[in-house]
Amino acid sequence: MRNFNGATSPPVVSRVEGQYITFIYCIDSRLFLDAPGSRLANGGVPDVNRRWRTVREHTVHSTPASHARAPEGLTVDIASETLQGGNVSFLQTSVNNGATWVNLPATRSISHLIPAYGNAPATILVRYRGTAMFLESAPVAVALPARSAPALLASNVVFDGLTETIVLNDSGLLEYRRGTDGNWIPVPSGQASIPVTIGASSVTYQVRRQAASGDFTSNIVSVTVNVRAAAPNVTYRPATDNVGNFSTLMEFSLDDGDTWTRAAATVLSRSDIGDDAVTMHVRVAATATVAASNVRILEIPGLTPVPTGLGIDFIREVVTGVAPGMQSSTNGTTWTNITTDELNIATMIPAVNAANVTLRIRVAATATNPASNAAEVILTPRVPAPVAANVRFDSLTETVLLNDTMEHRIGTTGVWTPVPQDATSVPVTLGTAAATHQVRVRGTADRFPSLALSLTIPGRAAAPNANYRPATDDIGVVSAAMEFSVDGGTTWTRVTGTTITRAALGQNPVTVYVRTAATASVAMSATRVVEVPAGPANAPTGLVIDHVREVITGVAPGMQSSTNGIHWANITTNELNIDAMIPAVNAANVTLRIRVAATATAPASNIAEIILTPRVPTPLAANVRFDGFTESILLSDTMEYRVGTTGVWTPVPQGQTSAPVNLGTANVTHQVRVRGTADRFPSAVLSVTVPRRVVAPNASYHAATDAIVSVSTAMEFSLDGGTTWIRATGTTIPRAVLGHDAVTVYVRTAATATAPPSDILILNVPARVIAANMLLSVEDDYVEFPHLPEADADEEPSYLPEVDTDEEPSYLPEVDADDEPSSLPEVDAGEEPSYVPDAGADEESSYLPEIDANERPSHSPEVDAGEEPSY
């Protein structure tokens, strides 16, 4: 490498980091890489006897180019079977001549590389592995001798659970150790087993054959000695007085472990234990491969004495002499705890003629003590039970029928009450719900009472929902199954229908009791109390019919009306409108009923009746109609009418046969009827529709044809402001009919017998314009043009070119619609045209006489506008 900055020594590698190399340029000496795995000897510091100094460091990008130095001083430790020497962190070994390399374990163990017994010695290669700084080193060969000692068979080194030793079935010189890293202990010559200690955790014992001097030992056989199994989960069960959770793999000792007995079943009973208290040791027995488990110690209590002093009370059906903590059983298998000083045995006693029952009593087991042996009590059969037909509930008397050999009680518990001597029934009190009563034949000094006969005593039904109804002045919601009393319950009367009427109650205020009557199977219900006020008040008075206005006067709010005596309508005013109630012509009279309405506390009053007679006849529709020509309703002076369906009726004046109407923008209903009299009601109403006036027709003045067009023969017109009307005869109204002067024309659709005339269309038709150079003759109020060919009224004259109806005639120059003709001087829009230049608006033309603006043009001297033109 080239020297820089005048340095006298070449640069040397100072650091190698990945692919970066740092060079140090020295003055005095060159630095060398030291042992493999280091960067520089002494961290880059040279020998202290050499003097040098760094001139410059320079780092360049490169790749490792140097091999690490081969490992030195490698040796094999025969005893520990490890490779010694070198830096273990970087050593690798190969047993296939460098084809595959494996890192040396941190323990330096090479046991896995040693040839097995009988194989030839082996040579392994050892090297330093490559790093980021160095390439791998050159390999070094290390010789490994084969194991000279014969292999030790695992089947000859086994653990024996019965003796808790490792049995050695090999005649060679062996050695062993506890664990995998302790000192090896030679097995004395002739010893066939190795004692082991079973601890709190499993432990491995290793055994091998001793080696000859300078050679490896045999292979190692490992034996795992497991921890001693947990003590079995056996328990003493006082309730069953045995030891449970047992199995035939267990053994027990009753002498603190001196002797052990193998269990023959899954339960140790009292016969296996004995009657006395004892301490029991239990363990899982050892096998050829497993040591005995830890020991479980059980304290087994002794038996409790049998109960004494028990007695039978046949009358009360109890066993005396018992106490809480005892148990009873009728089969010796199922036991029931006793919680009192007497045991009720009613359900245990045998029926009549049945076999005796053996009742067993014992002291119950506790959490620590077994149950005692049982004492036996013999229960004899009962006396015969009563016959159900002779014991029943009588709902009419509300008693239970029975005899004096019996006793009874309410419900299924409680005290039994004997029936008094010679009594044949006992009273019962009915509640709101059904109740059970029991009856039985009484027991004797040495016989139990009979079985109980249960009777269902029905509950007293709820009181009926009867109530006083002021509207009908009776008590409703009753039936023939009920009865009532008006004297406080002393006497009762059966209801005969669905109501209790005022006739049965009387006119005075009264308190009424109502109940459902008793039957042979059902007792009477509870009683309902109903307060009934005094009877109805007198009927209303002062009622008057107003036939003309169709009302009843003399009524007032709080009263009611009815036309059938069933359905009543409230009256809210001081007059009752009766138009809907009045009978039609020739119909039968209607009886109108008036009463004061019932209140929450008082009935309705008695009823006043009013006779409503039929109406007068209704007018004929053919005689009452709208007339479009007169715009009135045709009728007679016996009638009256009104606009709409409400409002005031207007009488038709005497001698008048029609009534005028005002036409609107919509149809209007008018009503007509024959007037009522002092004792007869007006007739029914006849409705007449007055049609609206239709809109004016769509006719218009057509200048081109000088006529009014879009008319029909259904229309009419007036030229005198509507005083007289002329019926149209075609589809136009021509100039000949209108006259030559300007005129205001009224046009409308003519009236018919059923429709009025339409609205009026007003058209302003201008005067007819006559050219100055044309000869005119006047005859019969219209202008004749003798030199023109005859033409249709709607067509243009044949000698004129076709023009738009709004344009000027073609013989005039084309001008704007708002302009004057070009041959005339400019004049005011309101002036007459003039053929004389510079003529004033009010001046006459030079060759025409002065004419009025509304007159027809004339070549004659000035004439009156109403006269015929003159030639």
Side-chain angles (χ1 to χ4, degrees), residues 19-62:
Q19 295 182 352
Y20 293 89
I21 301 176
T22 301
F23 296 95
I24 300 177
Y25 299 88
C26 304
I27 296 176
D28 295 329
S29 68
R30 179 180 305 181
L31 302 179
F32 296 92
L33 290 172
D34 200 356
S38 62
R39 295 192 176 189
L40 286 177
N42 299 322
V45 179
D47 192 300
V48 296
N49 295 322
R50 297 184 179 182
R51 298 182 61 193
W52 67 285
R53 66 186 179 90
T54 300
V55 176
R56 176 175 298 184
E57 287 188 2
H58 182 66
T59 301
V60 298
H61 182 72
S62 181

Side-chain angles (χ1 to χ4, degrees), residues 196 313 367 469 572 609:
V196 297
D313 187 330
R469 302 180 298 186
T572 58
E609 294 184 350

Side-chain angles (χ1 to χ4, degrees), residues 709-776:
V709 299
S710 299
V711 297
S712 72
T713 57
M715 299 179 191
E716 58 188 1
F717 64 95
S718 173
L719 302 177
D720 56 5
T723 302
T724 58
W725 291 88
I726 304 169
R727 194 65 172 251
T729 59
T731 58
T732 63
I733 304 173
R735 169 62 72 173
V737 176
L738 301 175
H740 300 296
D741 297 329
V743 62
T744 297
V745 182
Y746 287 8
V747 183
R748 70 182 182 186
T749 302
T752 67
T754 58
S758 72
D759 290 332
I760 295 174
L761 173 68
I762 301 176
L763 299 175
N764 292 313
V765 178
R768 184 167 188 174
V769 178
I770 302 175
N773 58 355
M774 296 179 66
L775 180 62
L776 304 177

Side-chain angles (χ1 to χ4, degrees), residues 433-467:
T436 297
H437 280 53
Q438 288 187 329
V439 178
R440 68 180 182 183
V441 177
R442 292 193 298 273
T444 64
D446 57 355
R447 294 289 299 275
F448 291 106
S450 72
L451 293 174
L453 184 66
S454 292
L455 301 176
T456 298
I457 308 300
R460 194 179 298 284
N465 198 29
N467 60 86

Side-chain angles (χ1 to χ4, degrees), residues 236-242 362 365-366 369-371:
Y236 170 68
R237 298 180 294 193
T240 54
D241 193 27
N242 59 26
R362 73 179 183 184
T366 65
N369 294 305

Side-chain angles (χ1 to χ4, degrees), residues 578-635:
I578 57 173
D579 58 346
M581 309 175 194
I582 300 168
V585 180
N586 299 326
N589 293 345
V590 169
T591 300
L592 176 64
R593 298 167 178 85
I594 306 293
R595 72 180 184 184
V596 177
T599 65
T601 58
S605 72
N606 290 321
I607 298 171
E609 294 184 350
I610 300 174
I611 303 302
L612 304 181
T613 56
R615 293 182 179 278
V616 297
T618 306
L620 298 177
N623 298 332
V624 180
R625 62 181 179 81
F626 170 74
D627 180 52
F629 296 109
T630 62
E631 297 185 14
S632 64
I633 296 175
L634 303 181
L635 34 62

